[in-house]
């Protein structure tokens, strides 16, 4: 059994895999301590694959914890732009997020292009594959929580709990929190809709796949038909 770990800016996502294309027993943690505690209940894996978008000491810390448990040394997965199946369009592929690459790799292996792949986490990333599965490029937007945090720290009078964005529709809001939530919905889901529309002008009608901690919520706020795949990035780790 292989342990798969995806270190994002907000959460650590993990799962186990018996083989290519399959992810089981998945979960998430918001801290390294919580993550290690959750894993203590699992049998020692045969191998470990990790990807990370953090440039802090999270990865060395996790590797040290595994070593203290006498677990195998993890394979730190980095972007390889020499796969026949997928080539990243960035001028410098080393600058491209490994999480975005793995989500695309999953989609290339399982779905019919053209595809639009969206990850709604700390940031929202939107990438496109044309009908030959060639990466065209992509967009990075602020995530829902990042928008809320930035807005309310810049204008503390707006500070309140995040409301339910699903129920805040339309411009005629009559309360500060409602006005903020509806505005966030326009900026977040509306921004994504705009990007999908522009991408589809070039690609034609595309298969839209959504992942990330806010992915399910995003699918509910979009007018487009979409498919939500919670473990898209972890599954990408099985294809490397
Ligand atoms: N259990 C949870 N803990 C923290 N955030 C969660 C949780 N479930 C869903 N979320 C949402 O997921 C978002 C983070 O998504 P995620 O894909 O994990 O981001 P990242 O890949 O940047 O770490 C948070 O902003 C939050 O709105
Ligand atoms: C854009 C991201 C910060 C998204 O990270 P996340 O929200 O999943 O934590 C990550 O993919 C990243 O660090 N990318 C490197 C820059 C780029 O892809 O252009």
């Amino acid at each position: 059994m292989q342990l798969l770990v995806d270190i994002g800016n907000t959460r650590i996502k993990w799962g186990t895999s018996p083989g290519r294309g399959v992810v089981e027993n998945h979960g998430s943690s918001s801290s390294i301590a919580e993550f290690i505690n959750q894993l203590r209940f699992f049998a020692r894996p045969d191998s470990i694959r990790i990807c990370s978008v953090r440039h802090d000491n999270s990865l060395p810390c996790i590797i040290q914890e595994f070593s203290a448990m006498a677990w195998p040394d993890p394979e730190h997965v980095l972007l390889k732009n020499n796969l026949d199946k997928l080539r990243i369009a960035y001028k410098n592929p080393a600058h491209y997020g490994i999480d975005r690459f793995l989500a695309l790799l999953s989609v290339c292996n399982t779905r019919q292009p053209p595809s639009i792949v969206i990850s709604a986490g700390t940031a929202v990333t939107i990438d496109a594959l044309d009908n030959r599965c060639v990466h065209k490029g992509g967009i990075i937007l602020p995530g829902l929580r990042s928008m809320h945090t930035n807005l309310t720290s810049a204008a503390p009078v707006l500070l309140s709990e995040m409301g339910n964005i699903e129920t805040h529709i339309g411009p005629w809001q009559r309360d500060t929190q409602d006005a903020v939530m509806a505005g966030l919905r326009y900026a977040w889901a509306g921004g994504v809709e705009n990007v999908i529309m522009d991408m589809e002008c070039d690609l034609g009608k595309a298969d839209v796949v959504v992942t990330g901690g806010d992915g399910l919520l995003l699918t509910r706020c979009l007018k487009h038909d979409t498919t939500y795949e919670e473990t898209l990035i972890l599954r990408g780790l099985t294809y490397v």
Side-chain angles (χ1 to χ4, degrees):
M1 187 268 294
Q2 184 168 58
L3 175 68
L4 309 169
V5 184
D6 163 23
I7 308 176
N9 284 295
T10 302
R11 294 188 304 160
I12 302 167
K13 277 77 63 183
W14 52 271
T16 57
S17 173
R20 209 173 144 80
V22 185
V23 176
E24 298 172 342
N25 299 318
H26 53 91
S28 69
S29 321
S30 40
S31 70
I32 294 175
E34 186 187 300
F35 167 64
I36 296 295
N37 269 332
Q38 286 176 343
L39 289 190
R40 283 189 205 287
F41 296 104
F42 280 91
R44 182 183 189 276
D46 302 315
S47 60
I48 304 174
R49 269 189 191 159
I50 300 191
C51 68
S52 174
V53 294
R54 291 190 201 168
H55 290 186
D56 61 9
N57 66 350
S58 301
L59 183 58
C61 261
I62 287 172
I63 292 174
Q64 205 177 346
E65 292 284 353
F66 287 155
S67 158
M69 288 153 70
W71 278 18
D73 283 339
E75 177 191 347
H76 178 202
V77 173
L78 300 170
L79 197 150
K80 291 188 205 106
N81 212 22
N82 56 2
L83 302 181
D84 286 344
K85 213 160 201 153
L86 176 63
R87 221 165 258 275
I88 294 305
Y90 260 34
K91 282 176 275 184
N92 184 346
H95 293 170
Y96 188 73
I98 186 69
D99 53 345
R100 300 170 69 184
F101 173 75
L102 292 168
L104 289 177
L105 197 56
S106 251
V107 166
C108 274
N109 276 284
T110 53
R111 303 188 72 94
Q112 199 57 37
S115 315
I116 295 175
V117 183
I118 304 174
S119 175
T122 314
V124 177
T125 58
I126 313 177
D127 282 278
L129 296 171
D130 74 9
N131 55 3
R132 288 173 300 124
C133 236
V134 173
H135 180 230
K136 300 267 295 174
I139 284 281
I140 304 172
L141 296 143
L144 180 61
R145 226 158 257 274
S146 314
M147 281 191 202
H148 186 257
T149 305
N150 279 331
L151 177 63
T152 56
S153 61
V157 71
L158 302 179
L159 188 59
S160 62
E161 283 291 296
M162 280 259 291
N164 181 0
I165 202 164
E166 276 186 77
T167 55
H168 287 86
I169 303 169
W172 313 128
Q173 305 297 330
R174 290 169 186 162
D175 166 88
T176 305
Q177 193 205 23
D178 292 343
V180 168
M181 291 318 298
L184 284 178
R185 183 184 168 121
Y186 275 116
W188 185 63
V192 172
E193 287 285 357
N194 262 330
V195 178
I196 296 175
M197 276 184 337
D198 278 359
M199 285 182 166
E200 284 193 328
C201 281
D202 275 359
L203 298 172
K205 183 92 188 98
D207 176 34
V208 183
V209 185
V210 182
T211 192
D214 290 320
L216 194 55
L217 184 62
L218 181 63
T219 60
R220 295 201 193 112
C221 295
L222 293 176
K223 294 179 192 115
H224 278 78
D225 282 343
T226 54
T227 305
Y228 172 66
E229 291 213 28
E230 187 176 1
T231 58
L232 197 67
I233 295 169
L234 290 176
R235 208 174 65 225
L237 280 170
T238 72
Y239 294 114
V240 173

